[in-house]
């Protein structure tokens, strides 16, 4: 019988320990978020708890200190730390932990708009009345404090005494950059730096200063001061202002070089709530996740729980269905739509024919004519990518043919304007039907045309030995009769996490929006473009989101006591559907939600669908969260999910969605309305616009309110033997009216077999 000596045994143990250590060290630790639910009463005890949890998987105080990135203690409990996959899995099984997830990277969703929305200016200096006590927090790329949009010239009132925030110092930024308008500015770089290393070098400031322009644009759209004669080199000239120009602004920089980590986002949410903001504008997003493995949903939940309204962008992945992001029901998710304004740049050919393209072309060509060539015809035959010459891809063009010429390029690959400019070209005619509805800035004279016009231009090139052309500067065309349309880029529903919650919630102007800009940031996004401006015109749900923040701030200035859900309801139920017959908006409510915001109407909605943490706790039960999980999230220590789990449809939401209907339909829902209108006796009657083929009954059909803030409920039943097979989804509406107020809720139904396009 063989036996093992003690040295052999000890050597085996040493080898096993060594191998284990090597295995533990071979996986590089990554930043994870450990979410532990509602905040503790004592922040110091919360931080101590976080350290103890971390110490259970790490060895020693020094390793715990090195690993810890953030400790979240103000509005919720949790921490961000560098963990291996095994360590993260171990923590996820510990008592008191709701979820553990990697800190992923989120991305930015990149004057006249407020006039278009009917928000009048009624006080001195053209500022809407009220609002100076409302504080808007903007989580974004920072702020350019010297912009006129952040001037406190017309804000004589002192900063609200409840404000607890501050202005932190950093690169080219200190406390003197804040004032009575920009009352706070913080930065959150830890999560980014743990992933990518120190923030240094050109192109970024390690401070709240905005090097990108996006944060200044969104902040000024939400609550910027009025600035007369604002324009992008003469385009869209007028008065630029936020939805509530007298509101205070606090900037929270969470994005660095265009990337925004979950760890930094959660730290900013936590700090903003502690600072005392009333609203948060968040124009950032990522892929939809389970709500409590999603930094945005987590941060927003606890912000709303603390009375802070949160608006978020739906995303720029349209026009495909199921692309909307930021889907939690406590978020107000915003789509983007057009306004009655276009920027056109004419292309004049040597045969005296002209074609009207779309672009933000602010550059005048000095000569009357320039040689006109097609990128495909001047390909660099020696390039391995010569087949991409049609797209003017870098390295695919014969440089001697480009110099001094206007080049016809097709969109879709690379940055043709930068390629042509670098080669000494004079301009670009870009062929791209997708982008023809939106004005973009380019690094040299450029105009965008569709395929039909491109055929005529190419035919002209082939018809003569010396084709020539010119591209004229853009002009602004205003036509209020134009029907607002959902931006082609704007992400569409349905909601991929909870289909019975309609998303997006609402739409607002997000196409060709003029607002403040960082003068060190490229206008066109190309590093070769060195033009500088204080205002820029850009598009995206990033631009529509702060419109809703500004509108919500306007409503809150009239009703400071209203909950975030009440403000959201007021905005949604007073919104205007973009076009009833869906001639211009074929995706209907899946594109624009309840419709286009109307801020003035939202100040007097009559009734609201209110909701609080208890409502959301029951909603989570319906999503199969356990009672213990809901207790941690909500902070309700004695909460228990009911034995019969609630339906998603019964959340007191301002819109109604019934998804995945199999065969026949027989669905009842309940809603509760709160009277925020007349203090006397008032009766509301329901008007039903039934979806095609669906029978809808509402009981009671009238609601009699005799006191302010009285709550009354109704049941709505939806029945159908079968849903029309020729339609992908069915839409209708339930509208309550007292003859003065109109409280409208869109209704959307789609069968399980439907593939929404």
């Amino acid at each position: 019988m063989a036996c093992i000596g003690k040295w052999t045994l000890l050597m085996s143990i040493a080898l096993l320990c060594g191998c284990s250590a090597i295995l533990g060290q071979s996986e590089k630790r990554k930043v994870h978020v450990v979410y532990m639910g509602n905040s503790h009463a004592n922040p110091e005890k919360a931080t101590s708890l976080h350290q103890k949890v971390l110490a259970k998987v790490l060895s020693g105080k020094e390793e715990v200190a090195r690993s810890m990135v953030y400790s979240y203690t103000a509005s919720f409990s949790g921490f961000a730390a560098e963990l291996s996959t095994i360590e993260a899995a171990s923590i996820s099984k510990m008592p008191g932990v709701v979820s553990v997830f990697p800190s992923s990277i989120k991305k930015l969703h990149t004057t006249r708009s407020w006039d278009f929305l009917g928000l009048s200016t009624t006080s001195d200096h053209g500022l809407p009345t009220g609002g100076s006590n409302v504080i808007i927090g903007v989580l974004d790329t920072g702020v350019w404090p010297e912009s006129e949009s952040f001037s406190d010239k017309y804000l004589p009132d002192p900063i609200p005494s409840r404000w607890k925030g501050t202005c932190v110092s950093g690169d080219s930024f200190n406390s003197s950059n804040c004032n009575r308008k920009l009352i706070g500015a913080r930065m959150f770089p830890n999560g980014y730096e743990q992933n990518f290393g120190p923030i240094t070098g050109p192109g970024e400031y390690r401070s709240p200063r905005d090097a990108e322009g996006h944060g200044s644009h969104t902040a000024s759209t939400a609550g910027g001061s009025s600035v007369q004669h604002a324009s992008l080199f003469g385009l869209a000239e007028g008065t630029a202002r936020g939805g509530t120009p007298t509101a205070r602004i606090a900037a929270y920089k969470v994005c660095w070089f265009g990337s925004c980590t979950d760890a930094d986002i959660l730290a900013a949410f936590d700090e903003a709530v502690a600072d005392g903001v009333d609203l948060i504008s968040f124009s950032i997003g990522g892929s939809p996740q389970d709500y409590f493995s999603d930094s945005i949903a987590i941060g927003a939940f606890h912000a709303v729980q603390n009375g802070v309204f949160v608006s978020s962008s739906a995303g720029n992945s349209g026009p495909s269905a199921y692309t909307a992001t930021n889907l939690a029901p406590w978020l107000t998710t915003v789509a983007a739509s057009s306004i009655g304004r276009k920027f056109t740049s004419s292309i004049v050919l040597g045969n005296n024919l002209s074609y009207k393209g779309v672009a933000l072309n602010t550059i005048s060509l000095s000569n009357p004519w320039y040689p006109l060539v097609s990128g495909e015809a001047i390909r660099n035959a020696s390039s391995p990518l010569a087949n991409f010459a049609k797209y003017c891809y870098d390295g695919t063009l014969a440089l001697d043919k480009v110099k001094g010429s206007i080049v016809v390029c097709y969109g879709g690959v690379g940055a043709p304007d930068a390629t042509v400019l670098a080669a000494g070209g004079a301009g670009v005619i870009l062929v791209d039907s997708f982008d023809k509805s939106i004005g973009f800035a380019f690094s040299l004279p450029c105009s965008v045309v569709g395929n039909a016009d491109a055929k005529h231009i190419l035919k002209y090139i082939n018809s003569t030995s010396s084709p020539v052309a010119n591209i004229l500067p853009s002009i602004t065309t205003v036509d209020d009769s134009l029907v607002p349309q959902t931006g082609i880029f704007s992400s569409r529903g349905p909601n991929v996490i909870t289909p019975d919650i309609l998303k997006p919630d609402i739409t607002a102007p997000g196409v060709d929006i003029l607002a403040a800009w960082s003068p060190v940031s490229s206008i066109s996004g190309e590093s070769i473009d060195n033009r500088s401006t204080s205002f820029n015109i850009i598009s995206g749900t990033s631009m529509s989101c702060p419109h809703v923040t500004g509108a919500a701030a306007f409503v809150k200035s009239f009703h400071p006591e209203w909950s975030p859900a009440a403000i959201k309801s007021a905005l949604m139920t007073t919104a205007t559907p973009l076009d009833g017959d869906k001639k211009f908006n074929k995706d209907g409510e899946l594109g624009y939600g309840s419709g286009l915001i109307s801020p003035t109407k939202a100040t007097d909605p009559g009734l609201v669908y209110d909701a609080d943490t208890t409502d959301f706790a029951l909603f989570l039960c319906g999503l199969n969260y356990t009672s213990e999980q809901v207790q941690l999230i909500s902070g309700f220590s004695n909460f228990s999910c009911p034995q019969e789990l609630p339906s998603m449809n019964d959340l007191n939401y301002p819109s109604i969605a019934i998804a995945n209907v199999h065969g026949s339909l027989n669905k009842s829902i309940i809603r509760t309305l709160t009277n925020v209108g007349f203090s006397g006796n008032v009766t509301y009657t329901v008007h039903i616009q039934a979806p095609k083929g669906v029978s809808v009954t509402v009981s009671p059909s009238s609601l009699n309110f005799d006191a302010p803030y009285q709550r009354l409920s109704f049941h709505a039943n939806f029945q159908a033997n079968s849903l029309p097979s020729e339609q992908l989804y069915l839409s209708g509406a339930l509208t309550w009216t007292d003859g003065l107020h109109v409280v409208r809720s869109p209704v959307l139904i789609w069968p399980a077999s439907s593939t929404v396009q």
Side-chain angles (χ1 to χ4, degrees):
M1 174 178 166
C3 62
I4 298 177
K6 68 176 182 179
W7 293 114
T8 306
L9 178 62
L10 288 172
M11 286 180 65
S12 299
I13 292 171
L15 283 169
L16 284 170
C17 291
C19 288
S20 175
I22 291 169
L23 285 171
Q25 293 171 6
S26 63
E27 180 194 355
K28 183 180 178 182
R29 288 187 173 117
K30 297 179 180 178
V31 178
H32 286 70
V33 172
V34 178
Y35 172 55
M36 302 179 70
N38 198 46
S39 62
H40 292 257
N42 188 321
E44 291 183 3
K45 286 186 177 180
T47 297
S48 177
L49 172 63
H50 301 159
Q51 292 168 342
K52 288 178 181 177
V53 169
L54 197 52
K56 290 181 180 180
V57 297
L58 302 179
S59 56
K61 291 183 178 180
E62 290 184 3
E63 192 172 12
V64 168
R66 281 197 304 269
S67 175
M68 186 76 78
V69 179
Y70 290 110
S71 176
Y72 310 121
T73 63
S75 61
F76 60 93
S77 177
F79 59 91
E82 287 191 309
L83 300 169
S84 69
T85 303
I86 294 173
E87 291 161 350
S90 178
I91 290 177
S92 70
K93 298 172 184 176
M94 294 181 185
V97 174
V98 178
S99 60
V100 180
F101 53 94
S103 175
S104 62
I105 304 297
K106 301 291 192 291
K107 293 293 181 181
L108 301 163
H109 286 154
T110 244
T111 53
R112 193 183 128 65
S113 53
W114 289 111
D115 295 330
F116 177 76
L117 292 171
L119 190 57
S120 62
T121 55
T122 57
S123 70
D124 292 343
H125 312 298
L127 304 179
T129 55
S132 63
N133 287 320
V134 177
I135 302 170
I136 299 173
V138 182
L139 277 60
D140 213 291
T141 64
V143 65
W144 193 264
E146 291 83 6
S147 169
E148 289 183 80
S149 293
F150 308 118
S151 167
D152 63 357
K153 183 177 180 181
Y154 298 124
L155 280 173
D157 298 333
I159 296 170
S161 58
R162 59 191 171 84
W163 175 245
K164 299 175 183 177
T166 188
C167 280
V168 301
S169 297
D171 294 345
S172 302
F173 198 98
N174 57 51
S175 60
S176 67
N177 289 119
C178 288
N179 55 27
R180 283 170 292 131
K181 178 66 176 179
L182 180 64
I183 63 173
R186 294 183 185 269
M187 61 173 175
F188 301 88
N190 295 4
Y192 180 91
E193 291 186 324
Q194 290 283 11
N195 277 329
F196 302 106
I199 297 167
T200 59
E204 188 56 278
Y205 298 96
R206 197 182 187 283
S207 76
R209 184 171 289 279
D210 180 16
E212 203 271 352
H214 190 276
S216 300
H217 200 282
T218 56
S220 62
T221 300
S225 300
S226 291
V227 181
Q228 295 181 348
H229 308 298
S231 72
L232 173 61
F233 298 122
L235 287 178
E237 183 172 358
T239 299
R241 67 179 190 276
T244 308
T246 52
R248 317 297 177 138
I249 292 173
Y252 297 84
K253 187 172 180 177
V254 298
C255 301
W256 308 88
F257 298 104
S259 294
C260 328
T261 72
D262 286 331
D264 294 336
I265 288 168
L266 280 169
F269 266 111
D270 198 37
E271 201 71 67
V273 174
D275 285 346
V277 302
D278 298 303
L279 310 97
I280 289 175
S281 192
F282 190 84
S283 292
I284 303 166
S287 300
Q289 305 287 336
D290 176 84
Y291 294 141
F292 289 96
S293 294
D294 179 354
S295 63
I296 302 166
I298 292 170
F301 181 91
H302 293 288
V304 169
Q305 187 179 34
N306 283 275
V308 178
F309 176 93
V310 183
S311 59
S312 57
S313 48
N316 297 339
S317 299
S320 298
Y322 299 99
T323 53
T325 188
N326 294 334
L327 302 172
W330 43 87
L331 283 164
T332 300
T333 308
V334 188
S337 51
S338 62
I339 59 178
R341 178 175 66 190
K342 293 185 75 172
F343 301 100
T344 58
S345 172
S346 292
I347 300 162
V348 183
L349 304 181
N351 60 4
N352 292 323
L353 292 178
S354 64
Y355 299 90
K356 191 175 289 186
V358 175
L360 302 171
N361 179 27
T362 64
I363 305 171
S364 297
L365 289 169
S366 56
N367 299 327
W369 298 110
Y370 291 81
L372 178 62
V373 296
S374 162
E376 191 169 25
I378 59 168
R379 68 178 62 194
N380 174 10
S382 63
S383 170
L385 300 174
N387 289 336
F388 288 93
K390 173 181 180 179
Y391 303 100
C392 301
Y393 193 69
D394 189 26
T396 64
L397 303 179
L399 300 185
D400 59 322
K401 301 287 180 65
V402 175
K403 190 170 183 178
S405 299
I406 292 174
V407 186
V408 178
C409 306
Y410 280 75
V413 179
D417 58 320
T419 300
V420 172
L421 179 61
V428 169
I429 297 172
L430 186 64
V431 185
D432 194 333
S433 295
F434 181 90
D435 288 336
K436 197 172 180 298
S437 61
I438 306 162
F440 287 99
F442 297 91
S443 55
L444 80 176
C446 181
S447 188
V448 182
V449 298
N451 288 315
D453 287 346
K455 286 181 181 179
H456 293 293
I457 295 170
L458 292 172
K459 184 178 179 180
Y460 162 70
I461 291 175
N462 295 326
S463 70
T464 177
S465 59
S466 301
V468 293
N470 199 340
I471 301 173
L472 303 183
S474 296
I475 61 172
T476 306
T477 303
V478 176
D479 184 354
D480 284 330
S481 68
L482 293 174
V483 175
Q485 297 183 40
T486 305
I488 193 168
F489 56 82
S490 187
S491 293
R492 268 67 165 175
N495 183 333
V496 297
I497 303 296
T498 317
D500 289 316
I501 300 296
L502 178 61
K503 291 288 181 172
D505 290 307
I506 204 164
T507 191
V511 176
D512 297 341
I513 303 303
L514 176 75
W517 194 248
S518 171
V520 299
S521 179
S522 166
I523 294 172
S524 62
E526 299 296 334
S527 58
I528 198 170
D529 184 359
N530 58 12
R531 290 173 295 166
S532 176
T533 182
S534 297
F535 289 86
N536 201 3
I537 300 170
I538 54 177
S539 299
T541 53
S542 280
M543 285 62 258
S544 57
C545 171
H547 274 91
V548 169
T549 312
F554 185 68
V555 173
K556 191 169 182 67
S557 71
F558 284 85
H559 305 286
E561 76 284 3
W562 281 10
S563 70
I567 294 173
K568 175 177 179 174
S569 174
L571 291 169
M572 289 175 64
T573 61
T574 59
T576 304
L578 294 195
D579 60 313
D581 58 7
K582 299 180 175 60
K583 179 180 178 182
F584 298 100
N585 294 277
K586 69 180 183 67
D587 297 315
E589 293 84 352
L590 293 176
Y592 56 70
S594 294
L596 182 68
I597 58 169
S598 178
T600 50
K601 287 183 181 179
T603 63
D604 184 21
L607 306 174
V608 295
Y609 295 92
D610 207 352
D612 59 17
T613 304
T614 300
D615 296 293
F616 294 128
L618 290 169
F619 170 81
L620 295 176
C621 291
L623 285 177
N624 293 314
Y625 282 77
T626 66
S627 295
E628 291 75 17
Q629 288 175 316
V630 177
Q631 287 173 10
L632 289 170
I633 293 166
S634 65
F636 298 156
S637 57
N638 296 319
F639 180 88
S640 293
C641 289
Q643 191 168 2
E644 183 177 343
L645 295 180
S647 165
M648 297 296 95
N649 300 107
D650 284 336
L651 178 65
N652 202 38
Y653 212 67
S655 61
I656 298 170
I658 303 175
N660 301 324
V661 177
H662 293 268
S664 62
L665 170 64
N666 186 3
K667 183 72 175 180
S668 291
I669 67 164
I670 187 171
R671 290 287 190 273
T672 301
L673 284 160
T674 302
N675 176 29
V676 294
F678 293 116
S679 58
N681 191 290
V682 60
T683 299
Y684 282 81
T685 304
V686 70
H687 293 264
I688 301 170
Q689 179 190 342
K692 183 179 179 181
V694 179
S695 173
V696 182
T697 57
V698 175
S699 178
S701 59
S702 62
L703 298 172
N704 188 286
F705 296 90
D706 55 22
Y709 295 100
Q710 182 182 2
R711 295 163 59 90
L712 295 175
S713 298
F714 67 89
H715 289 80
N717 181 259
F718 302 84
Q719 289 187 329
N721 292 327
S722 62
L723 297 180
S725 58
E726 73 275 11
Q727 289 187 261
L728 297 171
Y729 65 92
L730 308 170
S731 65
L734 292 184
T735 304
W736 294 89
T737 180
D738 63 351
L740 176 64
H741 302 95
V742 176
V743 186
R744 182 183 183 277
S745 293
V747 175
L748 209 65
I749 301 171
W750 59 90
S753 58
S754 171
T755 303
V756 180
Q757 301 296 323

